[in-house]
Amino acid sequence: MECLFCKIINGEIPSKKVYEDETVYAFYDINPMAPVHVLIVPKQHIASVNDVTAENSAVISHIYEVAAQLAKELGIAESGYRVVTNCGKDAGQTVFHLHFHLLGGQPLKLEMC
Ligand code: AMP
Ligand code: ZN
């Protein structure tokens, strides 16, 4: 499959891994927008939030558990952070494999749109 994040998950393309388990992979964003910028992705290929269903949504709650754990490990749990997922053109999604940006380590801009 010609999917960048599938290739990262299966090791075809290198990444700086932060966390991995049976269903989730997390790695540092190549173009960090904040001192801490990690991408948390389901190992299963789900293109975007548009493709989340009752059958595949369990991994989403697990991703939030991983986000909370990584925020503690990376030292941003107390200072605060943002978990963001972009869906589609207007949100600026560039990689069509569902991913959650974990951003922190500095005060983040408050604009939502
Ligand atoms: P989005 O714009 O929400 O689709 O986010 C895609 C993210 O993937 C961007 O923040 C990119 O910097 C990041 N990215 C693209 N290629 C790589 C890569 N090879 N390794 C790590 N992060 C990447
Ligand atoms: Zn994929």
Side-chain angles (χ1 to χ4, degrees):
M1 183 183 284
E2 289 304 309
C3 168
L4 176 64
F5 287 175
C6 281
K7 287 180 176 169
I8 284 178
I9 291 159
N10 72 27
E12 270 180 76
I13 291 175
S15 65
K16 282 179 66 182
K17 181 168 86 173
V18 189
Y19 175 85
E20 180 174 17
D21 65 25
E22 272 183 22
T23 59
V24 168
Y25 190 82
F27 53 105
Y28 284 102
D29 196 291
I30 205 167
N31 181 27
M33 307 291 274
V36 174
H37 188 172
V38 167
L39 300 173
I40 310 173
V41 309
K43 285 188 169 175
Q44 180 189 358
H45 181 86
I46 300 169
S48 78
V49 174
N50 280 339
D51 302 287
V52 174
T53 65
E55 284 68 43
N56 65 21
S57 63
V59 72
I60 309 295
S61 57
H62 183 49
I63 281 173
Y64 273 87
E65 290 176 45
V66 171
Q69 181 186 321
L70 291 180
K72 290 187 188 83
E73 287 176 14
L74 298 171
I76 57 171
E78 298 308 319
S79 51
Y81 56 93
R82 191 169 287 153
V83 181
V84 179
T85 186
N86 295 316
C87 181
K89 178 168 60 69
D90 281 356
Q93 184 179 6
T94 58
V95 178
F96 282 79
H97 181 127
L98 182 64
H99 52 281
F100 293 77
H101 300 257
L102 174 65
L103 295 151
Q106 69 180 25
L108 302 169
K109 294 198 181 79
L110 295 177
E111 291 88 33
M112 293 295 281
C113 53

